[in-house]
Amino acid sequence: MVEFSSIFSALAAQPLLAQIGMVSEAEGSMPWLTLTTFAPLVGILLLLFIPKEQINVLRNVALIASLGTFALSVGIMVNFNPAVAAAAGDAFTFQMVEHIDWIPEVGISYAMGVDGISLWLVMLTTFLMPIAIWSTYGAIKENVKEYMVFLLLLEVGLVGAMLAIDLFLFFIFWEVVLVPMYFIIVIWGGAERLKAGLTFFIYTMTGSLLMLTAMVYVYFQVGADTGVYSFLYADMLGAELTYEQQFWLFAAFALSFAIKVPLFPFHTWLPLAHVQAPTAGSVLLAAVMLKLGTYGMVRLAFPLFPDAFVVYAPFIAVLAVIGIVYGAVLALIQTDVKKLVAYSSVSHLGFCVLGLVAMTPQGLAGGIYVMLAHGIATGGLFLCVGMLYERRHSKRIADFGGVAKVMPVFAVMFAVIMLGSAGLPGLNGFVGEFLSLMGAAKSHFLSFGEYNFFLADAESAFALGTTTTVPTEAGTSSGPELTAFIMAAIGALGVILGAAYLIWMFRRVMFGEVRYEEVRMMPRLTAREIGVLVPIVVMTIFMGVYPKFFMSRMDPSIHQFLSYMDVKVTEAVEAAAADEDRRNVYGQVVVEPPNEEWVPQGSMVDLARERRQQR
Amino acid sequence: MEALYAEQFYFLGLIVLAPLLGAIINGLFGSKLPKRVVDWVACGAMAMSFAFALISVQALINNMTVSPDGERSWGMLTYTAYQWIFSGSLEAEIAFLLDPLSAVMVLVVTGVGLLIHIYSAGYMAEDESKWRYFAYLNLFAFAMLMLVLGKNMLVTFIGWEGVGVCSYLLIGFWFGDDEKAAAGQKAFLVNRVGDFCFILGMFLVFYTAGTWDYVALAEMSTTAATAATLLPIALPAGLLIFLGCTGKSAQIPLYVWLPDAMAGPTPVSALIHAATMVTAGVFLICRMNWLFTLDHRLMATIAIVGALTAFFAATIALVQTDIKRVLAYSTVSQLGFMFMAVGMGAFVAAIFHLMTHAFFKALLFLGAGSVIHGMHHEQDMRKMGGLRKLMPYTWATFLVATIAIAGVPFFSGFFSKDLILWGAISNAHVLTVDGAMGMITMEHFTSALVPAAAGGEALDIGRWAIVNWVVFLLGIMTAFLTAFYMFRCYFMTFHGECRADEETKAHIHESPPSMLVPLVVLAFLSFVGGYVGIPHFITTHMPEGPQFWSLLLENWLAEVFLVSDAYRVVGRFGASPYGLETLVAVVSIAIAGAGIGLAYLMYVKSPELPARVKERAGKLYDLLWNKYFVDEGYDTAFVRSTLKLGEVSYWFDRYIIAGLLVGGTAFMTKNFGQVLRHLQGGNVQRYATYILIGTVLILFAILGGATGS
């Protein structure tokens, strides 16, 4: 039995901030995660004491706060040891865990932890935040103070949600994200900002409520099973749910995340919100916030409800594939640059989800890499669009033309970012998309089994185990799963279309003759704007040339997750086979241990120390 | 010396690195540097790359081992730069491989590349953004070298896409002109379609073989025990990869971008769209010959597509009036020749033609560039003529190249084209040999001759001989057309009266030395380039020493194509078919002579003839002039239909998804909200009641949930 009265007293008695000190005492080392998450709050605190009129001071303080946060997150990165994630029985092995009972009466704790997946998403957030703040120097002149406060608050929510390993805490951060984003859209947005903000809010709130309901249900289920009521991720994983329960719970979680991603057909809030939001808002919305959806899928929806996931996976994959092509085709015909970039997000996130549900090491690694690459590339594209808009006060493609002649440096940077987004090998977009497609194509998870409706005649040929056979004179041989390969092939069409809409847009905006006097008068990039774009361009190239830096540090976590899923999915498939009422499900997780020489054995700090000692 | 040959041969990395550094220096600082420095950086980078390539090839030569039965082998040199992507069983390193095949390619790319860089320094002298041009050009060289030196398919693919992007950037170099920008875009997108197929082909290879490493794949497909695993995917994967090649190498159905690509600066056309990038497809199939030769249907498809491309492109070239477009279609046609050779299993011939073509076609383009430069950006041959006296060096070198491509004996084009035609008529895949299908085993694919061919008798390949004849006849006809349209082009440009207006005429001038030197060097190469592959009917009478040198290319490449040449593709005319080979050579000489003669008749002797022919064959002329309406067809079938799909989807998005579903929900919510509004009137007592009710409900729910299950 739970005592409810104490919830409030617990909240009152132990405000979050008061506990930070306790953590560091208890752990004895730097509480990197907590520091990174709440560092922006220090910035907010400072901002509150600065008068509204001192715009530049406000901006600089916010910038410094976000840079400080980035510096702290580097602390996470260098202390992160990828080799820790051994093939334990857990879905993920977390590091730098900080755990204190927050409201012990109801099993809510303040628990933070990082693994190979959340690490890079956190880094992405902290990396982009200073850039986003710096980019507002020219654009935002009204209500600067509030804007900066909201941006920093947004960072708290984003980082916190990715680091929380207590579901209640996760939910709090998840909700914290919504509020500042809503206000950013509604106050500083474009002409239709009210509608956009409202749509955004209703959509995401609907998702949140569904998730909360499902989360609480699981919480009570776990409590009833084990007697321990706890929102801890590790405890929640232990829930024993029947297939029917999982079916609905997964639906609730998946819908919530699908809205956030957004997966076709839940995407209609996105173009509206992206287009209406101010530049920094669009950047963070596209680059980081959407990733909460995909991150939530991997972290929560998939491992919590494996029985249901096996059944849902192929359908999610179909939606992802539709999204890839649909988003790309829509992007192709847009007349508004910003809307084009917005629809391109739908397409790119389709690659991501397709990779994630494939349950192969390549697919998962690719999916996560798409998240990172898309964050950099689309963030960069929105920044470029913002710079164009600040000069021309128009986002219509037809209003431009020949910009490359007027702004040569901008043209180069825009081109690099654009090509990165289009998936050129050697730049960031390629690695993720390629791996996602490859992982999806070899997947043994995207089989419809007896749900097979559009390939019913050839059903036996597509069932698991009896992979496609290619007849030859010398006999027959097996290839990849045909349904999966078809999905990957259709998804790969997005590679062509992706190049098409970006290159075509680029040509119409940047190339050709200068037709308008307004375009001719557009000033060149200022030093600040170059400074905003350079980190993006550098990262675009670095992520494409040396993906090892990122991938080798997430692979062990991915492998661990797949091993975990393999066990669960095998159980699920067996259970389904034993149950006469249920139709057969197929699905097999592909587990391939990563190459040992690939994974760094130790954190960056350790490795550096070792190297110094060797010398 | 031993250490140098150890596992890491660093020079391969340097070959690739030099142009990249050049591109970075020019790209970042070029706009601030004086033009001379820009020239020196770019050409210096290429020269260094060429020097490293020479060193590496020399190292490879030194690496030679001779087996007891006299077979020479050069093995390979490799260099692994770093780990790129590892994930599960996927291991992709940035690694390079130098074997006799890539050695030929590297020398062509860096050598011809260097000449064209030098030429560009003169050609682009007046351009404002020369630095940008050279940065792109160096970047292209970098990507191309990645492509040819790649040790696994993924590195090749990086280069493959990289050259595509550089081509896009260079075609649209003068981006102020919308048409040029559009041409670049078209090239990129058509290439992307090919790359899409290439990727899918790569996936298939990976699932079956588990690796993309060429060495491992070669090992696998040339060993009897493991070749069987690759057999089933040879056709699908091979077709997909071949489709990728049709994109890059401008073959049917994806050739449409190349003629438009002529919008770029002429040296770019010479380097990218004649000598190097467009040959990537031929190179790739040769690189993976052991995969392609596994399936005879695949080979036949490639051969026929190549032959058709060769023929149709040649017919289009007949009526073009833009000098660069003639050369562009000629390139498509010659590439078709190379694919024809590859498809017939004459890999050495394909590489041979690739090399000689790189010389003479680059020369033709550079010569055309010199003409265009001299005539102030006039490209229409109808406004040229009589340039022989005004531009003597250009004229002489252009003539050498024209003779070479027309297939006149003693010039390089003759040797390579002859080898291809001979291969087309005489080669047969073992699976097509009558009765072979039943008795063939995996050994016959990898280490033993089929019994039928082992005796040295002529082979019966049944109806598969049709393929030989179709390809051969198309090849012969193409050879005739080639001789004709090339000499048409030559006569129209250099002979007769000058048809330019007075203004232009007064300013026609010979090009500066930096442009002429490459012309002369290439003319020399176009002449002597053929002597590394003298026809067998001559060499068979030679003593061993000279025979080795006159079949140098064949001997050099032998180990690369060992299995394909020895066991999978066999000569169907038995052991000594040299009489027939002579006949083929005579036919091809006669055909070339006829083509040249006809061109002379029509464009020098009686210049009124073309107009009459045009009148008589009006419909056909229209068809050719409009390039068989392929561009229009593609536009309707793919471009407009995709845009239409986009519009329909957008409508669907706005009215069905956002409008009906979401809007409907919102409508209901709104009305529901009207009801709820009455609940929040600001009455505190009411709120308290709600809270109480809510709490009770929650309590019930929780208790029910906790105890209920």
Side-chain angles (χ1 to χ4, degrees):
Chain A
M1 181 55 65
V2 186
E3 288 177 52
F4 282 91
S5 57
S6 57
I7 294 180
F8 303 100
S9 59
L11 272 174
Q14 300 175 311
L16 243 108
L17 275 170
Q19 301 206 349
I20 296 175
M22 287 169 56
V23 181
S24 61
E25 278 169 19
E27 291 281 319
S29 65
M30 285 283 271
W32 289 109
L33 305 183
T34 303
L35 286 178
T36 308
T37 311
F38 295 105
L41 281 184
V42 180
I44 294 177
L45 220 61
L46 285 175
L47 285 178
L48 294 179
F49 290 109
I50 299 168
K52 268 177 92 92
E53 296 74 34
Q54 296 184 335
I55 291 178
N56 276 326
V57 181
L58 286 167
R59 287 168 174 164
N60 290 334
V61 167
L63 182 64
I64 290 166
S66 63
L67 281 173
T69 312
F70 177 64
L72 286 170
S73 70
V74 170
I76 304 180
M77 186 174 79
V78 295
N79 281 301
F80 178 79
N81 180 359
V84 163
D90 299 326
F92 303 96
T93 300
F94 294 99
Q95 300 180 32
M96 299 180 224
V97 174
E98 296 160 25
H99 179 212
I100 15 168
D101 292 334
W102 177 16
I103 315 171
E105 291 79 4
V106 286
I108 296 174
S109 41
Y110 173 81
M112 304 280 254
V114 66
D115 74 339
I117 295 171
S118 52
L119 170 68
W120 294 117
L121 290 169
V122 170
M123 292 308 296
L124 176 74
T125 315
T126 55
F127 173 79
L128 281 174
M129 189 53 82
I131 295 173
I133 290 180
W134 209 15
S135 78
T136 65
Y137 278 37
I140 305 293
K141 299 190 174 71
E142 310 264 304
N143 302 326
V144 176
K145 184 170 175 175
E146 291 79 358
Y147 197 65
M148 294 303 164
V149 168
F150 282 133
L151 282 178
L152 289 175
L153 192 61
L154 190 62
E155 186 171 17
V156 174
L158 290 169
V159 174
M162 283 157 187
L163 289 176
I165 52 172
D166 179 281
L167 263 66
F168 195 82
L169 192 65
F170 169 80
F171 187 76
I172 291 176
F173 283 122
W174 172 278
E175 292 297 302
V176 163
V177 172
L178 294 189
V179 181
M181 188 48 91
Y182 172 74
F183 284 114
I184 287 173
I185 295 174
V186 169
I187 300 177
W188 291 275
E192 286 183 70
R193 56 183 182 269
L194 286 178
K195 187 184 167 200
L198 200 65
T199 322
F200 166 77
F201 201 75
I202 290 174
Y203 259 101
T204 38
M205 265 323 258
T206 315
S208 302
L209 284 177
L210 283 170
M211 182 169 70
L212 181 66
T213 319
M215 200 184 276
V216 172
Y217 188 93
V218 178
Y219 165 75
F220 283 115
Q221 190 70 39
V222 173
D225 286 348
T226 62
V228 181
Y229 286 86
S230 160
F231 273 105
L232 267 186
Y233 178 64
D235 292 332
M236 296 283 246
L237 278 178
E240 285 182 20
L241 303 159
T242 64
Y243 169 70
E244 280 75 19
Q245 285 173 320
Q246 290 199 17
F247 188 87
W248 294 109
L249 292 170
F250 184 88
F253 267 86
L255 188 64
S256 163
F257 295 134
I259 289 172
K260 202 85 164 190
V261 170
L263 207 58
F264 174 89
F266 312 108
H267 64 275
T268 45
W269 65 269
L270 177 128
L272 206 58
H274 274 48
V275 172
Q276 296 305 325
T279 302
S282 312
V283 170
L284 293 170
L285 193 60
V288 189
M289 225 176 109
L290 304 185
K291 275 46 171 209
L292 281 183
T294 43
Y295 172 74
M297 284 187 181
V298 182
R299 182 68 91 216
L300 300 176
F302 297 174
L304 280 174
F305 316 110
D307 291 23
F309 175 48
V310 185
V311 178
Y312 274 102
F315 296 97
I316 297 179
V318 168
L319 290 184
V321 168
I322 294 177
I324 294 174
V325 176
Y326 186 82
V329 169
L330 279 179
L332 200 57
I333 60 146
Q334 294 307 317
T335 51
D336 179 312
V337 198
K338 211 167 175 184
K339 222 167 185 173
L340 186 147
V341 179
Y343 274 111
S344 85
S345 283
V346 177
S347 183
H348 279 121
L349 268 294
F351 283 110
C352 175
V353 174
L354 182 65
L356 295 181
V357 296
M359 286 293 125
T360 55
Q362 292 84 15
L364 209 57
I368 295 165
Y369 213 79
V370 169
M371 293 188 211
L372 306 176
H374 172 264
I376 299 288
T378 307
L381 286 177
F382 274 125
L383 288 171
C384 289
V385 173
M387 286 169 192
L388 287 173
Y389 180 73
E390 282 163 31
R391 288 170 166 74
R392 181 75 172 86
H393 299 290
S394 166
K395 287 176 294 200
R396 281 185 55 230
I397 294 175
D399 287 344
F400 294 93
V403 177
K405 237 176 212 156
V406 188
M407 303 166 72
V409 179
F410 175 73
V412 174
M413 303 223 217
F414 193 12
V416 173
I417 296 169
M418 182 272 293
L419 289 171
S421 184
L424 180 78
L427 298 178
N428 59 1
F430 173 75
V431 181
E433 282 174 24
F434 183 79
L435 283 175
S436 297
L437 288 174
M438 175 168 174
K442 74 183 279 191
S443 170
H444 289 276
F445 210 72
L446 306 183
S447 165
F448 287 93
E450 290 179 22
Y451 286 89
N452 191 335
F453 46 89
F454 58 88
L455 293 166
D457 290 339
E459 195 179 291
S460 62
F462 305 119
L464 197 84
T466 56
T467 47
T468 27
T469 46
V470 190
T472 59
E473 278 86 5
T476 55
S477 180
S478 60
E481 200 85 23
L482 197 59
T483 31
F485 193 78
I486 290 171
M487 281 193 224
I490 299 173
L493 278 178
V495 175
I496 305 178
L497 292 168
Y501 61 72
L502 284 168
I503 296 253
W504 192 29
M505 177 273 285
F506 196 78
R507 178 186 132 207
R508 285 177 292 170
V509 171
M510 305 301 286
F511 293 162
E513 284 167 39
V514 182
R515 291 191 307 273
Y516 299 99
E517 197 52 34
E518 291 91 335
V519 173
R520 199 184 308 280
M521 303 303 286
M522 286 190 350
R524 296 195 167 204
L525 287 188
T526 62
R528 175 184 62 81
E529 285 169 323
I530 293 177
V532 166
L533 286 182
V534 160
I536 301 262
V537 170
V538 168
M539 200 42 95
T540 302
I541 296 171
F542 180 68
M543 281 183 72
V545 173
Y546 197 59
K548 179 181 178 178
F549 184 75
F550 304 92
M551 290 189 64
S552 63
R553 292 189 164 76
M554 61 196 199
D555 265 1
S557 291
I558 288 171
H559 174 61
Q560 188 189 15
F561 172 62
L562 286 173
S563 318
Y564 174 83
M565 286 305 284
D566 188 32
V567 175
K568 292 284 171 184
V569 165
T570 316
E571 282 174 13
V573 171
E574 278 167 10
D579 189 346
E580 282 178 12
D581 297 339
R582 285 181 58 198
R583 288 181 277 187
N584 274 334
V585 284
Y586 305 99
Q588 188 183 317
V589 178
V590 178
V591 185
E592 294 164 343
N595 189 329
E596 280 207 3
E597 58 172 299
W598 169 250
V599 179
Q601 300 293 319
S603 69
M604 287 183 207
V605 176
D606 296 343
L607 293 176
R609 201 176 293 144
E610 247 172 56
R611 227 171 291 146
R612 207 180 310 138
Q613 280 166 0
Q614 276 169 6
R615 249 184 254 146
Chain B
M1 273 318 256
E2 202 52 42
L4 200 62
Y5 291 76
E7 293 195 342
Q8 293 282 61
F9 187 72
Y10 294 98
F11 281 90
L12 299 183
L14 294 175
I15 299 177
V16 178
L17 198 62
L20 179 65
L21 282 179
I24 291 174
I25 294 172
N26 270 344
L28 288 182
F29 314 111
S31 56
K32 314 264 185 320
L33 295 173
K35 276 188 181 177
R36 287 213 79 86
V37 180
V38 170
D39 290 350
W40 277 103
V41 168
C43 299
M46 272 320 279
M48 269 167 67
S49 186
F50 184 51
F52 289 131
L54 285 176
I55 295 171
S56 306
V57 173
Q58 184 59 49
L60 189 66
I61 292 170
N62 294 346
N63 206 23
M64 184 177 78
T65 51
V66 184
S67 70
D69 51 350
E71 292 285 332
R72 293 177 180 83
S73 165
W74 285 274
M76 62 186 68
L77 302 172
T78 59
Y79 170 59
T80 306
Y82 65 92
Q83 296 177 322
W84 194 48
I85 302 177
F86 276 36
S87 177
S89 60
L90 164 68
E91 303 189 350
E93 289 166 330
I94 301 292
F96 304 111
L97 162 73
L98 188 79
D99 68 346
L101 176 61
S102 43
V104 174
M105 291 300 291
V106 164
L107 288 182
V108 169
V109 171
T110 53
V112 176
L114 174 61
L115 290 174
I116 292 172
H117 271 72
I118 295 170
Y119 179 94
S120 298
Y123 190 84
M124 301 296 284
E126 291 133 36
D127 203 287
E128 278 290 296
S129 41
K130 193 181 191 181
W131 60 276
R132 198 162 52 87
Y133 172 83
F134 270 124
Y136 293 164
L137 211 59
N138 269 346
L139 195 64
F140 167 78
F142 160 73
M144 191 67 207
L145 287 166
M146 288 279 278
L147 197 165
V148 296
L149 280 173
K151 187 168 178 284
N152 56 52
M153 290 182 79
L154 208 55
V155 179
T156 302
F157 188 73
I158 299 174
W160 189 267
E161 287 254 304
V163 290
V165 163
C166 296
S167 157
Y168 159 74
L169 292 169
L170 283 164
I171 295 168
F173 179 71
W174 290 305
F175 56 77
D177 184 343
D178 200 45
E179 206 172 299
K180 294 191 159 86
Q185 178 186 323
K186 183 173 174 185
F188 192 74
L189 291 183
V190 175
N191 267 302
R192 260 289 160 112
V193 177
D195 298 346
F196 159 75
C197 299
F198 189 6
I199 285 194
L200 293 181
M202 277 172 71
F203 288 168
L204 279 181
V205 170
F206 188 82
Y207 304 143
T208 316
T211 177
W212 278 322
D213 190 277
Y214 290 126
V215 182
L217 279 173
E219 175 75 25
M220 187 176 265
S221 55
T222 54
T223 312
T226 47
T229 55
L230 281 173
L231 201 56
I233 58 130
L235 184 64
L239 268 182
L240 285 168
I241 294 173
F242 172 61
L243 274 170
C245 296
T246 61
K248 194 101 317 180
S249 294
Q251 296 295 294
I252 292 172
L254 298 177
Y255 70 93
V256 287
W257 63 271
L258 185 61
D260 288 19
M262 295 301 124
T266 310
V268 169
S269 313
L271 179 62
I272 300 184
H273 306 121
T276 54
M277 183 185 90
V278 288
T279 60
V282 182
F283 164 75
L284 184 71
I285 296 183
C286 288
R287 167 57 84 216
M288 302 187 73
N289 65 81
W290 21 259
L291 180 74
F292 285 84
T293 47
L294 280 173
D295 195 294
H296 58 290
R297 292 161 299 178
L298 175 62
M299 295 291 279
T301 312
I302 296 174
I304 288 175
V305 168
L308 286 175
T309 311
F311 181 71
F312 281 113
T315 56
I316 298 174
L318 293 179
V319 298
Q320 296 299 314
T321 52
D322 181 324
I323 185 167
K324 282 186 73 179
R325 281 194 172 248
V326 175
L327 296 179
Y329 281 106
S330 162
T331 306
V332 175
S333 172
Q334 296 298 311
L335 288 166
F337 248 98
M338 293 175 215
F339 275 98
M340 203 165 100
V342 166
M344 296 313 294
F347 295 107
V348 174
I351 293 295
F352 191 13
H353 198 59
L354 187 160
M355 184 183 84
T356 56
H357 176 259
F359 298 148
F360 59 66
K361 188 51 70 64
L363 176 53
L364 284 170
F365 267 113
L366 295 186
S370 176
V371 168
I372 294 165
H373 192 255
M375 295 195 66
H376 298 278
H377 299 279
E378 179 58 71
Q379 303 194 8
D380 194 334
M381 294 191 298
R382 286 171 298 191
K383 297 191 179 143
M384 296 176 183
L387 296 179
R388 186 170 45 158
K389 302 209 178 62
L390 297 166
M391 309 177 81
Y393 287 98
T394 307
W395 163 73
T397 51
F398 198 90
L399 180 61
V400 170
T402 313
I403 292 174
I405 193 176
V408 173
F410 310 113
F411 287 79
S412 63
F414 166 76
F415 296 105
S416 54
K417 196 176 285 187
D418 194 51
L419 199 58
I420 292 179
L421 289 173
W422 170 237
I425 193 69
S426 84
N427 281 358
H429 194 277
V430 284
L431 283 177
T432 62
V433 176
D434 221 24
M437 199 73 91
M439 59 187 181
I440 207 154
T441 63
M442 269 340 277
E443 274 72 32
H444 294 125
F445 265 124
T446 48
S447 51
L449 264 178
V450 273
E457 309 274 309
L459 297 174
D460 180 10
I461 58 168
R463 56 199 166 82
W464 284 97
I466 297 169
V467 175
N468 287 66
W469 281 106
V470 166
V471 170
F472 177 72
L473 288 177
L474 282 172
I476 284 285
M477 286 196 281
T478 310
F480 168 73
L481 294 174
T482 308
F484 173 75
Y485 70 70
M486 279 317 300
F487 269 89
R488 165 180 175 267
C489 167
Y490 163 76
F491 288 134
M492 279 178 87
T493 311
F494 292 99
H495 284 253
E497 284 296 302
C498 186
R499 296 177 291 275
D501 52 56
E502 291 303 317
E503 170 73 27
T504 320
K505 225 185 222 169
H507 290 100
I508 296 176
H509 57 84
E510 182 59 289
S511 300
S514 74
M515 289 167 69
L516 293 180
V517 170
L519 290 184
V520 175
V521 175
L522 281 171
F524 174 72
L525 288 171
S526 300
F527 180 64
V528 302
Y531 290 95
V532 292
I534 293 169
H536 293 83
F537 60 84
I538 299 172
T539 57
T540 190
H541 304 298
M542 287 181 177
E544 183 145 345
Q547 192 188 36
F548 175 79
W549 291 105
S550 37
L551 289 174
L552 183 64
L553 194 69
E554 195 178 313
N555 289 317
W556 174 248
L557 292 173
E559 61 180 305
V560 179
F561 305 121
L562 183 67
V563 171
S564 297
D565 271 354
Y567 309 116
R568 296 180 189 169
V569 181
V570 288
R572 66 189 180 105
F573 295 125
S576 46
Y578 302 115
L580 272 170
E581 194 185 353
T582 320
L583 193 66
V584 170
V586 169
V587 170
S588 89
I589 294 170
I591 282 288
I596 298 169
L598 187 63
Y600 183 74
L601 181 72
M602 283 176 72
Y603 293 94
V604 179
K605 263 289 199 217
S606 39
E608 75 286 351
L609 258 179
R612 274 176 36 207
V613 173
K614 185 174 163 183
E615 217 166 277
R616 292 286 283 280
K619 279 251 169 66
L620 182 64
Y621 182 85
D622 277 351
L623 191 63
L624 293 180
W625 180 249
N626 289 303
K627 302 160 245 163
Y628 299 104
F629 298 98
V630 172
D631 275 331
E632 288 77 3
Y634 279 12
D635 191 46
T636 320
F638 301 114
V639 180
R640 273 191 233 158
S641 63
T642 309
L643 290 180
K644 197 82 213 160
L645 178 67
E647 274 158 32
V648 171
S649 306
Y650 195 41
W651 178 87
F652 180 78
D653 205 51
R654 270 183 305 176
Y655 294 105
I656 305 296
I657 299 186
L660 213 63
L661 299 181
V662 180
T665 320
F667 177 77
M668 277 170 53
T669 319
K670 210 164 159 189
N671 286 315
F672 193 53
Q674 293 293 324
V675 179
L676 289 186
R677 207 176 63 177
H678 297 292
L679 296 180
Q680 5 181 314
N683 187 329
V684 183
Q685 277 94 344
R686 250 200 219 169
Y687 286 168
T689 322
Y690 299 152
I691 291 172
L692 188 68
I693 295 172
T695 318
V696 170
L697 280 178
I698 292 172
L699 266 173
F700 268 111
I702 290 170
L703 292 176
T707 52
S709 51

